[in-house]
Amino acid sequence: MEYFNILIMFLVAGGIGVLAVGVSAILGPKKASRTKLMPYESGNDPEGSARERFPVHFYLVAMLFIVFDIETAFFYPLAVAFKKLGVFAFWEAVTFVVLVLVGYYYILKKGVLEWR
Amino acid sequence: MPQWLIDVLITLLKAILVVVGLLTTFAYMTLIERRLLARMQIRLGPNRVGPMGLLQPVADAIKSIFKEDINVTMADKVVFIIAPIVAVASALMAFGGIPAGPAKSLFGTDPWVFDLDIGILFILAVTSMGVYGIFLAGWASGSKYPLLGGLRSSAQMISYELGMGLALLGMLMIVGSTNLRDIVEWQFNNGAMFLFQSFAFILFAISATAEVNRTPFDLVEAEQELVAGYITEYSSIKWALFQMAEYIAMITASAVMSTLFFGGYRGPAFLDSVIPGISEWPLIWLIVKIAIFLFIFIWIRATLPRYRYDQLMRFGWKVLFPLALFNTMLVAFYIAYFPDASLWPLALVELLLLVGGLAYSTRYKPQTLHRAETQGGD
């Protein structure tokens, strides 16, 4: 039932966005011209496409995020059940975190986290 | 009418109430922010449209509806329209999960739209959907500034999500539940979570500030650096939808911080001895706490200069992430080895960490770090 309520919330929230865009599309003036529709490049005529090569750093950060976010995801059930599990769970967590930190140290020394 | 239909209608009504309430709050937040920023800079702010400028948000809304909607030639038509809707929908949805009072306290119905056992996870998941809105907007514009701004901001947001997720783990270990109402009730019985997790709270607050792109982490829309980032090509209501998404994310972040760390809809219990029942006043406490956080957001904007992009990413990965992990292991150690002890020693350690961190950060100079790097680097 609660998940059905989420669906209702989603429909209302998305509906507001669709409604706003729709109303504005009907009410606004439409006087397009070639220069008005040009991409903005500080007043110059645009050169080539924007979707070209970009720094590999973004790719690396996204990959690292996936790795460490999975680590966080593994931590959540452990955290919720931690009081019942006690000392054993603590040392399990330590083992896991040490393994993660080895990877973290490696990327740190590789300079992946340095932005120039 | 059958019972299920009544339930659905009530939920629908509550969802509409939440959305309309958030939109109104957003509209007046823009006014209050402008007024407060003006006060902090010893000027007046908007005070011409209506008494005390109270009709300024209405004028802004009407203007943005009647403006021309420009679809740039290079833009990907479909994604260009969908991106602002995604951004605003994901920002609006999360708020429905915040409990605004005890069960059945809103005219006999529950004062929330949905109440999940995995409440925190859901809110973290939905708010991080905002990254899609920003990145799709940057990509769909087909122009260089938006693309760069979108890439930067998605990298920033996913980096600070780690700090956010990890900073909450200590709190979860103490409470043992991800349900937001359980967390609020726990705090009512044991004292506000902020006392026991002050260090984690600061980490969470910093990450949340970066997550909603507020100063000092608002590089995404750094006007002086990248024009307006991902919203450069947007005009009329679509631009307004992005602003809306940003402010609503800020309101949600304030609500999450008050719920998780400051007792949510419950007031401090000791006030009950002064005025009986004051800690149970529905909605009031939550609204007061959210308002305080929003004020702090505005205050910070008027106070701090912006980070440079490399400083920002370095801070997220090299400071927030290890510290949040450390905090988690600290709480884990304490709970594993002293399961029946009072939490106050932990609170003291956290406070010491917080004070130590603040003392260190006043001596921290990003410039010196940068100079050392440019000398050594390529």
Side-chain angles (χ1 to χ4, degrees), chain A residues 20-56:
Chain A
V21 171
V23 167
S24 156
I26 295 168
L27 291 179
K30 290 172 200 64
K31 294 191 206 91
S33 70
R34 203 188 71 82
T35 35
K36 197 190 268 179
L37 295 184
M38 260 198 297
Y40 177 78
E41 273 182 29
S42 303
N44 303 324
D45 283 356
E47 275 180 37
S49 167
R51 300 180 192 119
E52 285 177 357
R53 307 192 327 163
F54 55 82
V56 71

Side-chain angles (χ1 to χ4, degrees), chain B residues 43-88:
Chain B
R43 51 191 179 87
L44 284 176
N47 60 356
R48 284 287 183 272
V49 193
M52 299 189 298
L54 280 176
L55 292 179
Q56 182 73 42
V58 184
D60 286 341
I62 293 174
K63 179 197 72 176
S64 63
I65 288 177
F66 281 97
K67 284 194 87 172
E68 182 175 0
D69 205 356
I70 301 172
N71 283 321
V72 195
T73 36
M74 299 285 282
D76 185 305
K77 293 283 180 296
V78 180
V79 183
F80 191 73
I81 295 170
I82 288 177
I85 299 176
V86 169
V88 85

Side-chain angles (χ1 to χ4, degrees), chain A residues 7-8 25 74 85 90 108-109:
Chain A
L7 181 69
I8 295 176
F74 281 146
L85 299 172
F90 172 67
L108 202 67
K109 286 294 144 189

Side-chain angles (χ1 to χ4, degrees), chain B residues 281-341:
Chain B
W281 287 359
L283 274 175
I284 304 283
W285 285 106
L286 187 66
I287 291 174
V288 166
K289 288 167 189 173
I290 291 178
I292 291 173
F293 277 116
L294 290 178
F295 174 74
I296 293 175
F297 271 125
I298 296 170
W299 193 10
I300 290 176
R301 177 171 172 186
T303 310
L304 294 178
R306 187 180 287 142
Y307 275 102
R308 219 172 44 217
Y309 190 64
D310 59 326
Q311 294 169 342
L312 172 97
M313 295 301 280
R314 195 184 299 135
F315 183 73
W317 281 97
K318 290 192 177 172
V319 180
L320 273 183
F321 173 72
L323 285 182
L325 205 57
F326 173 72
N327 175 68
T328 309
M329 294 321 286
L330 178 76
V331 179
F333 174 77
Y334 190 80
I335 289 184
Y337 278 94
F338 309 99
D340 300 319

Side-chain angles (χ1 to χ4, degrees), chain B residues 60-214:
Chain B
D60 286 341
I62 293 174
K63 179 197 72 176
S64 63
I65 288 177
F66 281 97
K67 284 194 87 172
E68 182 175 0
D69 205 356
I70 301 172
N71 283 321
V72 195
T73 36
M74 299 285 282
D76 185 305
K77 293 283 180 296
V78 180
V79 183
F80 191 73
I81 295 170
I82 288 177
I85 299 176
V86 169
V88 85
S90 70
L92 282 171
M93 264 180 82
F95 204 89
I98 306 285
K104 309 285 176 204
S105 68
L106 187 81
F107 306 116
T109 60
D110 295 333
W112 54 79
V113 183
F114 48 86
D115 172 40
L116 295 176
D117 287 339
I118 52 157
I120 294 178
L121 281 177
F122 181 80
I123 285 178
L124 284 181
V126 169
T127 46
S128 57
M129 288 285 285
V131 180
Y132 284 105
I134 289 176
F135 183 73
L136 288 179
W139 181 82
S141 295
S143 175
K144 280 156 200 150
Y145 294 114
L147 187 72
L148 279 174
L151 275 172
R152 273 176 157 207
S153 82
S154 12
Q156 167 191 342
M157 284 173 84
I158 62 175
S159 300
Y160 280 80
E161 235 173 83
L162 284 177
M164 252 174 116
L166 282 170
L168 289 179
L169 286 172
M171 185 209 74
L172 290 182
M173 282 179 190
I174 292 174
V175 179
S177 167
T178 44
N179 186 312
L180 293 171
R181 279 195 300 143
D182 288 353
I183 293 169
V184 173
E185 292 301 326
W186 187 94
Q187 293 180 72
F188 189 64
N189 297 326
N190 298 285
M193 184 56 75
F194 170 72
L195 298 172
F196 309 111
Q197 287 284 293
S198 44
F199 187 56
F201 167 72
I202 293 297
L203 295 180
F204 184 80
I206 295 173
S207 315
T209 315
E211 189 73 7
V212 301
N213 298 323
R214 287 293 290 186

